[in-house]
Amino acid sequence: MGRFHHHTDGDGHQDHGHHDHGHHDRTDGEHDHHGLGDHSGYETGTERIMVLEQILGENDRIAAANRAELAASGIRSVNLMSSPGAGKTTLLAKTIPALAGRLRVGVLEGDIATSLDADELAGLGAQVALVNTSAGFGGECHLDAVMVRAGLDRLVLADIDLLLIENVGNLVCPAEFDVGQDRRAMVYAITEGEDKPLKYPVMFRAADVVVVNKLDLLPHLRFDLDEFHRNLTEVNPEATVVELSAETGEGLDRWLHWLQSV
Amino acid sequence: MHELSLCGAIAETALEHAAGRPIERIRLRIGHFRQVVPETLQFCWEVRVDGTALEGCALDVDYVAAQVSCNGCRSTTTLEHPLLLCGSCGGADVTMTSGDEFLIESIEVGSARAKQVR
């Protein structure tokens, strides 16, 4: 039961002989209802139903609904992703007051089980709703469209211009899940090393903007900024890059400018 | 790392298509770029379906190799790791040609005995 066919040579999409009994040529996603007598050569009277659906198809449909609702409310949205500790929350804590009077900001704060980040952001002038991901299948490592859907219900959308969705700190999973955002932003800290874009290309390719954070630490690190840029260009030549220090505020203006152009 | 939620999505889609009939096998097609760990997916599947109508249902996965085609030297490389580099010339100007698949391909359901369950 449950054995894996592991193909490493590109033939993974070929069918295995005995499964080939003429039912798989329909690609319209319709059920392939054949009479039970129509299974010549098929041993147990099982019926094969072509599904041909994206694994995350349901997530993508809900994400599309989120996107439509946000658009109808006149809200632009950014999905903020990074590894743990890259500085997403600190960046938000600097961003919210800086945008005061220009954009009304809402924050959806994804966290596996705590409200620590949401507490840090409370009182800065933005609406903040916490999305604890433990409500999913036991502590998710990412936000999905359903969780964001639930979070939207806890915000007064009419009072928001820009929604910042702080994803769970993780460089793998959040890249796979569309939550309905307009843009994806990735916060990368130079303490993570130059090779991160090469090690996590799916994440870096997903980003519309890459914030290069903790720039104030550059004199203290053995870090080659040029090499990082080369690596990033290799996996995502189209990304906008903003270098800044959320801690000192250096470079923050370009980030604010990007946010206002979303 | 997100294999458990993938299993939830797979189970829901499969059950929907089975319309109440017992599912014996689910066939998936997953590209290597999707960063799914085969052993973890299998483990999560068993955890996810344990004690449900899908208990015992096999998960067959065709893993599709991640391949890139070099725009410089025109050679094709099958990637061992998700480093988007040409294996021949080392160039980074490559186009992904496969490995992005993420599909529930088909399910195999039992005879109509258990039909009309819902």
Side-chain angles (χ1 to χ4, degrees):
Chain A
M1 279 306 200
R3 117 192 116 91
F4 273 92
H5 298 302
H6 198 135
H7 300 273
T8 53
D9 51 0
D11 69 344
H13 49 281
Q14 296 297 313
D15 252 312
H16 304 282
H18 69 281
H19 287 133
D20 261 340
H21 50 114
H23 286 219
H24 64 297
D25 53 344
R26 288 164 62 167
T27 54
D28 56 2
E30 290 291 322
H31 289 189
D32 213 358
H33 293 295
H34 285 243
L36 286 172
D38 191 32
H39 291 264
S40 48
Y42 208 73
E43 60 276 27
T44 55
T46 57
E47 179 185 3
R48 184 160 173 214
I49 298 173
M50 295 311 290
V51 176
L52 295 172
E53 276 197 36
Q54 292 299 317
I55 289 176
L56 292 177
E58 184 58 21
N59 180 78
D60 293 347
R61 280 188 284 280
I62 296 164
N66 290 349
R67 187 171 284 117
E69 178 171 2
L70 289 169
S73 305
I75 297 175
R76 307 299 290 170
S77 60
V78 177
N79 182 358
L80 209 56
M81 305 180 289
S82 81
S83 55
K88 289 188 303 299
T89 309
T90 305
L91 182 61
L92 285 179
K94 293 294 172 76
T95 300
I96 294 164
L99 287 174
R102 288 189 267 183
L103 289 173
R104 295 169 301 167
V105 177
V107 177
L108 279 185
E109 182 65 44
D111 210 317
I112 289 178
T114 75
S115 66
L116 295 175
D117 287 351
D119 294 347
E120 189 178 335
L121 296 177
L124 291 175
Q127 281 190 59
V128 180
L130 181 68
V131 184
N132 271 341
T133 62
S134 58
F137 300 107
E140 294 290 10
C141 44
H142 58 269
L143 287 179
D144 65 23
V146 176
M147 299 178 210
V148 167
R149 165 72 267 161
L152 292 181
D153 289 341
R154 296 202 287 277
L155 294 170
V156 182
L157 298 184
D159 295 340
I160 295 173
D161 301 310
L162 177 67
L163 179 67
L164 301 174
I165 303 162
E166 181 176 349
N167 218 309
V168 180
N170 180 338
L171 285 185
V172 178
C173 316
E176 286 288 3
F177 292 84
D178 183 6
V179 297
Q181 75 285 321
D182 292 306
R183 296 281 185 275
R184 285 185 166 105
M186 211 207 131
V187 180
Y188 158 86
I190 61 173
T191 47
E192 297 179 60
E194 301 91 344
D195 58 356
K196 276 291 184 295
L198 301 179
K199 286 183 172 168
Y200 299 93
V202 177
M203 173 61 77
F204 279 88
R205 282 163 58 88
D208 296 297
V209 62
V210 176
V211 173
V212 181
N213 191 23
K214 306 195 183 180
L215 212 64
D216 54 306
L217 296 179
L218 194 55
H220 310 290
L221 301 172
R222 201 180 305 148
F223 176 81
D224 186 339
L225 195 55
D226 291 336
E227 189 186 337
F228 168 76
H229 282 292
R230 277 195 300 277
N231 291 338
L232 177 58
T233 304
E234 280 185 7
V235 301
N236 187 350
E238 273 137 47
T240 300
V241 182
V242 178
E243 295 177 356
L244 56 76
S245 164
E247 188 64 31
T248 68
E250 178 195 355
L252 196 66
D253 282 350
R254 274 200 67 208
W255 163 244
L256 299 175
H257 180 77
W258 184 85
L259 281 176
Q260 291 174 93
S261 72
V262 167
Chain B
M1 281 188 270
H2 49 291
E3 283 81 356
L4 197 54
S5 47
L6 295 183
C7 288
I10 292 162
E12 281 173 32
T13 303
L15 287 169
E16 207 173 286
H17 282 261
R21 285 167 293 172
I23 307 175
E24 296 174 0
R25 185 174 300 273
I26 300 174
R27 293 168 61 82
L28 309 175
R29 192 186 303 169
I30 301 179
H32 281 176
F33 274 119
R34 293 303 187 156
Q35 309 177 95
V36 169
V37 181
E39 293 75 15
T40 308
L41 185 71
Q42 190 61 41
F43 175 74
C44 289
W45 178 249
E46 277 156 26
V47 170
R48 178 64 179 75
V49 301
D50 187 39
T52 77
L54 284 169
E55 188 170 337
C57 172
L59 203 59
D60 275 8
V61 188
D62 283 338
Y63 283 97
V64 183
Q67 285 193 328
V68 294
S69 156
C70 181
N71 297 318
C73 74
R74 300 282 158 205
S75 62
T76 297
T77 306
T78 299
L79 302 177
E80 300 277 326
H81 306 286
L83 289 178
L84 294 172
L85 296 173
C86 173
S88 296
C89 71
D93 182 15
V94 295
T95 303
M96 196 191 299
T97 52
S98 75
D100 217 18
E101 296 78 1
F102 215 18
L103 199 67
I104 302 169
E105 196 176 64
S106 65
I107 58 177
E108 288 172 18
V109 296
S111 62
R113 270 177 287 127
K115 218 169 175 173
Q116 312 298 344
V117 165
R118 59 175 208 185

